[in-house]
Amino acid sequence: MDHQQTHDNRRRAKHHFPKKTTVKEAFRIKPSPLNWFRGVGSAISVGIPSLTGFWIGDPALGILASVGGFTFLYVTNETYSQRAARLFWVALGLTASFALGALSSYNDMFMVLMFGVIGGLATFLFQRFQMAGPGGMFFVLAYSIGTSMPHEPSALGPNVLCVLCGAIFAWIVGMAGVLVKPYAAETKAVSAVYHSLSNLLSSIGTDHYTERQHQAAFLMKQADRTLSHSYVFGKRNDNTRALEKWKRLNAQAGVIFLSILDVSLEPKHEIEDQLAETLRIIGNQLHQNNSEKHFDVRMPEEGSSASLIALYSNVKSAVEMNCDTTHSVLSPTPAANIDFRFRDNFQNAFNKQSHLHYAALRYGIVLLISAAIAYGFHLNRSYWVPLSAAAVMGGGTYVSSLHRGIQRSAGTMIGILVGAALLWLKPQGVWVPLTLAGLQFIVELIYARNYSLAVIFITPSTLLIGTTINPALTSGYFISARIVDIIIGSFVAIVGTTLLWRKIYSRRLLAVLSDAVAKEGEALIAMLKSERAELKESKRQELQHALLRLRSVYDSAFAESISRDAKITSLWPAVGDCLHLGYMLLAASRHPAGEPMPEARTMEYGRYFERLANSIKDKKKPVMDIPELPEYPAIYEDIAQFQRSLRII
């Protein structure tokens, strides 16, 4: 087939640059849905323990118990078996952090050092095990509150027990949903996959195609991880069948994804919009637990392309799977996606290609410096300084940390006015825990929309807690301390993010791009050799992981500057073409080329990709000739386009 003729018939979208980040983004209200579940759950987890303290006549103990209640904030969209283990370790971690804070408060130097250790270690563990949520922020909070406790050895045990009881209560609140919707995470994950496939199919040939291609691949990987950790509750036979149906649907989603990639190379057909609508309906049915059959798409007319017919058949199969009421059960899928072997995880974390140890060190060093400044100058409520730094550093990259600093400062100024009005009302008795619960409800409800809005309600909550635990101190004392500490903590965090390993992702980008190219070469050779299905599947999995990592690292590198970094921006065409080539290889790997190629030809392509990967790693422009590939003309075009885009290196 003529290479140019194939190219003319393709609907290949341009790789548009990621959106430029500006300071205005810090104040943009995201169109995220209000998170009622987190709002209600966090209000209960924090409010009930503090309310109990007032009922027993010891408000301070109730406030301490509510510190453990922050365990609930680590609830994410995971299976209940995962959630049970995660919240258990978070509960112990928060309790241990509080205890360490109380013990280290006897020595200022040791206390300052432990701020860095607690923050750095928590950050390292959360990133190492890919645990979503607030990260090390609330571990630093628990430690900070521990350092502020009076030096009374006899009170240490009861105080720690109080925090632990609050954490256990939050664990119960977080797990309560298993009695109502034990498989909410599984259905939500697979539903999101089918919605993403619908968006992907609709976006072929548009500016959104590349982004939605990455999003669909990412969500399928997330769903696979979720389903592999699912545990069967209740009626075992019925629930096992349901779980296996979701696994089959997610596996079928992978087949549909590759079929969409095939179809993307051909002229548009009207049936695509109908199939996209069917995929959206499947997603809605999964979310609403409805399996009513809905498939009114007519068969493609005779003479349609094999790719379009295959897509039609694959979508129809997904509809039938969703409506399946048979009692067939597949063999269980082993949970192999997340490896919790500590030795391997820690060895990989300290690999020279890993960024985790740098991120953890940066977090720890910034907290240590901010704590040293606060305690060295004996600032009022000194622990608020490292706590503010921890909140700002939660952004991760330079741009997100800068946004966090701006949001936290602006939100605090407005929040102080709200807090002053609240303290002027002088809430007493049960009104204090009820007010805290209400503020926590609002914070978690709107947190995802804009952090500065959340800080407006976090600030009065902090002031109310301070005046409740220390009634002898005036509200003016806490307000002035809050203003000073927020400014200092935010400033130290932004400076630290700017100076300490700011370019870790930029420096890794070429190595990650080189690794993705090497994986593409291995996948292509596996196709040319017609290797066994299990070997080809292994190469496909490795390639898909490499593509997801490449996009993640590029996005992080792009966020290391408030304006577009010239070098990172210039690499985007190469990154975009590498991603496109990789996904086309994933699609083409399902279509055998026929007889295995002679060893000489496969070795020729092996050498080509090896030299291509090395040229990227060595920052040299590739000048080698591309071997002929008549079996896969579209792949040949993608390789040629990718090599052309590498000339800017």
Side-chain angles (χ1 to χ4, degrees), residues 274-590:
Q274 300 172 44
L275 293 174
E277 176 63 15
T278 301
L279 291 169
R280 186 187 63 79
I281 291 172
I282 294 175
N284 290 339
Q285 289 178 337
L286 286 165
H287 185 68
Q288 299 165 3
N289 195 25
N290 173 19
S291 59
E292 181 181 350
K293 190 168 183 178
H294 181 95
F295 189 72
D296 299 329
V297 184
R298 69 177 186 275
M299 184 77 176
E301 60 271 15
E302 188 176 348
S304 297
S305 69
S307 297
L308 187 64
I309 294 173
L311 177 60
Y312 170 88
S313 300
N314 291 331
V315 173
K316 184 177 181 181
S317 296
V319 172
E320 293 170 350
M321 286 181 189
N322 189 42
C323 302
D324 183 26
T325 57
T326 63
H327 298 319
S328 60
V329 178
L330 300 177
S331 58
T333 303
N337 287 299
I338 300 180
D339 188 355
F340 282 101
R341 290 176 296 181
F342 281 88
R343 180 180 176 184
D344 291 347
N345 271 296
F346 277 92
Q347 285 178 345
N348 292 335
F350 288 102
N351 184 287
K352 65 179 181 179
Q353 297 296 338
S354 175
H355 69 278
L356 296 186
H357 50 294
Y358 294 116
L361 279 172
R362 180 172 60 193
Y363 199 92
I365 290 172
V366 168
L367 292 193
L368 190 152
I369 292 173
S370 59
I373 292 173
Y375 287 95
F377 286 95
H378 303 288
L379 299 178
N380 294 334
R381 315 304 290 177
S382 298
Y383 68 85
W384 277 350
V385 175
L387 192 56
S388 295
V392 172
M393 290 285 289
T397 63
Y398 169 76
V399 171
S400 55
S401 294
L402 179 61
H403 283 177
R404 280 290 189 100
I406 295 171
Q407 291 169 335
R408 193 165 178 83
S409 299
T412 297
M413 296 304 143
I414 301 173
I416 282 173
L417 298 178
V418 177
L422 179 63
L423 295 178
W424 180 76
L425 294 174
K426 297 180 180 180
Q428 295 179 351
V430 296
W431 287 107
V432 173
L434 290 178
T435 302
L436 289 175
L439 290 171
Q440 186 63 37
F441 169 76
I442 297 172
V443 167
E444 291 303 318
L445 192 69
I446 64 176
Y447 186 91
R449 291 199 166 186
N450 189 276
Y451 181 62
S452 57
L453 291 178
V455 174
I456 292 174
F457 299 95
I458 291 173
T459 300
S461 178
T462 305
L463 297 176
L464 185 57
I465 289 174
T467 55
T468 301
I469 295 180
N470 301 279
L473 300 175
T474 65
S475 58
Y477 168 88
F478 288 101
I479 290 174
S480 61
R482 185 72 175 173
I483 294 174
V484 172
D485 295 346
I486 289 292
I487 293 173
I488 294 175
S490 299
F491 178 77
V492 173
I494 292 172
V495 171
T497 307
T498 304
L499 299 179
L500 298 174
W501 300 294
R502 176 179 167 183
K503 299 289 187 178
I504 52 177
Y505 291 101
S506 300
R507 294 191 184 99
R508 291 185 59 227
L509 182 56
L510 287 180
V512 174
L513 177 59
S514 174
D515 181 65
V517 170
K519 293 293 188 294
E520 289 174 341
E522 292 173 7
L524 178 59
I525 291 170
M527 291 161 49
L528 300 180
K529 286 184 176 180
S530 298
E531 290 183 351
R532 298 194 310 274
E534 58 270 20
L535 284 176
K536 290 174 67 175
E537 180 60 27
S538 173
K539 299 287 174 57
R540 278 198 294 263
Q541 292 290 336
E542 291 177 2
L543 174 55
Q544 188 166 347
H545 176 74
L547 296 175
L548 290 171
R549 186 171 64 147
L550 173 59
R551 181 57 193 268
S552 175
V553 171
Y554 183 84
D555 289 344
S556 297
F558 193 77
E560 289 175 344
S561 174
I562 195 67
S563 58
R564 284 180 177 174
D565 182 278
K567 183 176 180 180
I568 299 302
T569 302
S570 66
L571 280 172
W572 173 242
V575 171
D577 286 328
C578 180
L579 293 171
H580 186 81
L581 169 61
Y583 285 118
M584 289 301 107
L585 281 168
L586 289 173
S589 64
R590 299 181 304 123

